[in-house]
Amino acid sequence: MSSPVPVTSRPFAAIGLAASLSLIAAGIARAEPAMVAPLPVPPSADAAPPIHLPAPGRGTPDSFADLAARLLPAVVNVSTTETVKPGDDGDPDGEGEDAPQIPNFPEGSPFEKFFHDFMSHQNGPEAAPRKMQALGSGFIIDASGIIVTNNHVIRHADQITVTLQDNTVLKARLLGHDDRTDLAVLKVESPHPLPAVAFGDSDRARVGDWVLAIGNPFGLSGTVTAGIISSRGRNIEQGPYDDFIQTDAPINKGNSGGPLFDMQGQVIGINTAIYSPSGGSIGIGFSIPSAEARGIIDQLRRTGKVSRGWIGVRIQDVTQDIADGLGLKAAHGALIAGVEAKGPAAAAKLQVGDVIQTLNGKDIDGRALPRLMADTAPGQVVKLGVWRHGQVVTASVTVGALPEDPKEAPAPKPDAKARGSVPLQGLGMTVGAIDDVARQKFNLAEGQKGVVVTDVAQDGPAADRGLRAGDVITQVQQAEVATPADLRRLVEAARAKHRRSVLLLIQNSDDLRWVPLPLADDAK
């Protein structure tokens, strides 16, 4: 299945051809703080008469027309203009993924040279900057002109324009945006109050409930589509806080930032991405739940940025294989794969290999913990129930503020084996001591500890679990290893206890992670 993509429509013209491209979201830009009141519920004086819809379980409404008529005036088109210079975004030739591509002509065709010369001229050093436009959607949440949309709709915009349902065009300024949740807040000035919609409670939405999506797909303003909630709590690998509502209400490019309404006319989601092999709707769309979005939007309105709670651990879900390796009876909790040296968790004496099972007395898993921590105010003390070496202990952690993202180091490119390599039969890999040769060949830090993987069998268990040459094994079954002999001894000890898997803590340029490798009883 293809990866989820943002659903912003971006038309551009080049040599007489038009195409739609997606605007890719990345990075955080700071906006000037804007002090405004918290999100109000819009006044009901001008609201339409109540819409009588069937109670849950009593069938479908005869029509969505009355509901759509009430909601449409609060949904807007968001248009942005960006000046793109040749060589922007690290593209020296000006031919990034947004640039028009040279058609495939037969080799030696006169058209091949013509188009090559033409495109070289268009994108060469002497080429003039190009104006790029992106089209998205948004909705008004305050009659004073506060508008919500997606971050990837307005990212890098030089100018933002909002078009109302009555075709009134207003210039917008950015109050703040957040790339982690793909949300942005705009402000427009209007001589009269604007129609607004209110947020609902996405936590009360159920799979199978009817929903309406309104937006600007492919530039077709005021498009209303209907469907149901297909699933909840979806993780589509877009960030650490994924908790999307999935819907089959048709969502296409240009719907980004548009609202997902329940049958009471309240916003329970912000449409942001789709699964699609072609760029068009196939009935799999994703919306940011209002329960997550409201707090972010309120912070962006008040300060222009978002402050999140943080305890300084890297965690992963406890799978059944990991549970077997640890000796846990059930696959439950968040396994700590790394602890920041000066973070709140380190101050609370949390350790690599601990399994966080409860937060303030409530059960949690690896997916929920980052989101729950982010929603916790810095300075607050939380109680964590931690499983450690067969015992459950309680740790009190004072939540800190999430720091800015560090720059990622380039991935090493190992091209040879270290000396003194030892094959591990049954695991499908060869390991070696970390000496000067290994540090040079695998680009390892001077103080790196552990055992380096020097080779991985193509069809072995290690390859199946994603290990590669240059990875460093720092722990086995929560015990540190310094030599290949340590590693072999701990693996054999796990095999002697008839463990179905052995748990390795793997470090590479990307992260620390726990990897369970299956054990064969007859492997030697």
Side-chain angles (χ1 to χ4, degrees):
M1 181 174 290
S2 59
S3 299
V5 294
V7 283
T8 302
S9 179
R10 163 173 267 192
F12 71 93
I15 55 176
L17 302 175
S20 291
L21 299 175
S22 294
L23 185 64
I24 306 300
I28 297 177
R30 296 300 183 192
E32 291 296 325
M35 303 301 294
V36 295
L39 298 177
V41 176
S44 58
D46 299 327
I51 299 171
H52 299 287
L53 295 171
R58 296 187 181 178
T60 61
D62 293 332
S63 172
F64 298 107
D66 290 339
L67 182 59
R70 175 157 65 92
L71 300 175
L72 272 165
V75 182
V76 302
N77 295 346
V78 179
S79 175
T80 65
T81 302
E82 174 190 355
T83 302
V84 180
K85 299 178 181 178
D88 277 358
D89 300 323
D91 181 14
D93 298 324
E95 295 184 5
E97 62 182 358
D98 284 344
Q101 301 298 309
I102 300 175
N104 290 322
F105 292 107
E107 187 176 355
S109 167
F111 291 104
E112 181 182 30
K113 184 177 186 306
F114 170 79
F115 271 88
H116 184 275
D117 292 344
F118 181 84
M119 296 304 296
S120 297
H121 174 75
Q122 289 285 344
N123 297 304
E126 73 281 358
R130 294 178 292 141
K131 291 287 187 179
M132 303 287 288
Q133 287 188 318
L135 300 175
S137 304
F139 55 98
I140 305 168
I141 60 171
D142 190 298
S144 65
I146 303 298
I147 295 171
V148 173
T149 187
N150 279 151
N151 176 53
H152 75 258
V153 171
I154 53 81
R155 178 176 175 260
H156 296 327
D158 300 320
Q159 181 176 334
I160 306 172
T161 302
V162 167
T163 303
L164 309 182
Q165 287 294 315
D166 62 3
N167 291 323
T168 300
V169 179
L170 302 172
K171 288 186 177 180
R173 62 185 176 92
L174 182 66
L175 296 184
H177 59 161
D178 176 50
D179 72 325
R180 287 187 172 97
T181 53
D182 195 22
L183 291 170
V185 178
L186 310 176
K187 179 70 167 72
V188 296
E189 302 296 336
S190 174
H192 54 79
L194 298 175
V197 290
F199 281 108
D201 185 1
S202 60
D203 287 341
R204 299 181 61 185
R206 302 181 303 164
V207 173
D209 281 349
W210 281 100
V211 287
L212 287 186
I214 303 180
N216 179 37
F218 299 108
L220 301 171
S221 62
T223 296
V224 180
T225 56
I228 63 170
I229 294 177
S230 304
S231 186
R232 294 190 50 190
R234 287 299 195 199
N235 178 8
I236 59 175
E237 305 296 335
Q238 295 297 289
Y241 312 119
D242 280 15
D243 187 33
F244 291 99
I245 296 171
Q246 181 185 333
T247 179
D248 68 349
I251 295 173
N252 290 285
K253 293 183 179 181
N255 273 112
S256 276
L260 188 72
F261 292 105
D262 62 16
M263 290 296 97
Q264 285 69 51
Q266 295 182 318
V267 179
I268 60 169
I270 297 98
N271 302 321
T272 190
I274 59 174
Y275 266 122
S276 175
S278 63
S281 172
I282 59 170
I284 304 178
F286 301 97
S287 299
I288 305 165
S290 61
E292 176 185 353
R294 291 191 67 170
I296 302 299
I297 291 167
D298 187 46
Q299 289 191 63
L300 292 175
R301 290 182 65 180
R302 289 186 289 106
T303 67
K305 59 182 181 180
V306 178
S307 177
R308 292 182 170 87
W310 170 79
I311 61 172
V313 294
R314 292 186 294 278
I315 54 93
Q316 64 188 89
D317 266 334
V318 176
T319 64
Q320 191 58 55
D321 284 343
I322 289 176
D324 292 340
L326 290 173
L328 278 169
K329 294 181 179 179
H332 165 58
L335 176 63
I336 296 180
V339 179
E340 296 291 336
K342 298 181 180 180
K349 308 300 183 183
L350 291 180
Q351 304 171 10
V352 172
D354 285 349
V355 179
I356 301 173
Q357 296 185 319
T358 62
L359 171 63
N360 292 331
K362 296 182 178 179
D363 289 347
I364 59 168
D365 58 28
R367 284 186 53 199
L369 184 63
R371 188 170 64 254
L372 294 172
M373 286 293 96
D375 292 340
T376 304
Q380 185 173 336
V381 178
V382 296
K383 300 287 186 180
L384 301 179
V386 178
W387 184 93
R388 178 184 295 163
H389 300 300
Q391 296 182 337
V392 177
V393 298
T394 300
S396 296
V397 183
T398 302
V399 178
L402 180 68
E404 295 294 328
D405 287 335
K407 293 183 178 180
E408 294 185 359
K413 297 180 180 180
D415 58 354
K417 301 178 183 179
R419 292 179 294 185
S421 296
V422 176
L424 293 176
Q425 299 297 333
L427 298 183
M429 64 178 176
T430 301
V431 298
I434 298 179
D435 54 17
D436 291 340
V437 175
R439 290 189 183 93
Q440 181 179 3
K441 295 297 183 182
F442 297 108
N443 194 26
L444 303 179
E446 183 65 29
Q448 179 67 62
K449 296 181 180 180
V451 176
V452 66
V453 177
T454 59
D455 191 30
V456 176
Q458 185 173 359
D459 299 322
D464 290 343
R465 297 302 169 94
L467 271 66
R468 63 180 187 266
D471 287 347
V472 175
I473 303 170
T474 61
Q475 292 188 22
V476 177
Q477 297 296 113
Q478 299 179 290
E480 293 185 356
V481 294
T483 67
D486 292 339
L487 194 156
R488 183 191 291 275
R489 174 176 52 80
L490 291 169
V491 169
E492 292 305 322
R495 185 174 283 123
K497 294 179 180 179
H498 302 288
R499 300 278 193 193
R500 288 186 290 180
S501 62
V502 60
L503 199 59
L504 310 180
L505 183 59
I506 305 298
Q507 182 175 355
N508 56 30
S509 61
D510 298 326
D511 211 343
L512 275 166
R513 73 187 192 280
W514 289 98
V515 177
L517 289 184
L519 290 175
D521 291 335
D522 57 351
K524 300 295 181 183

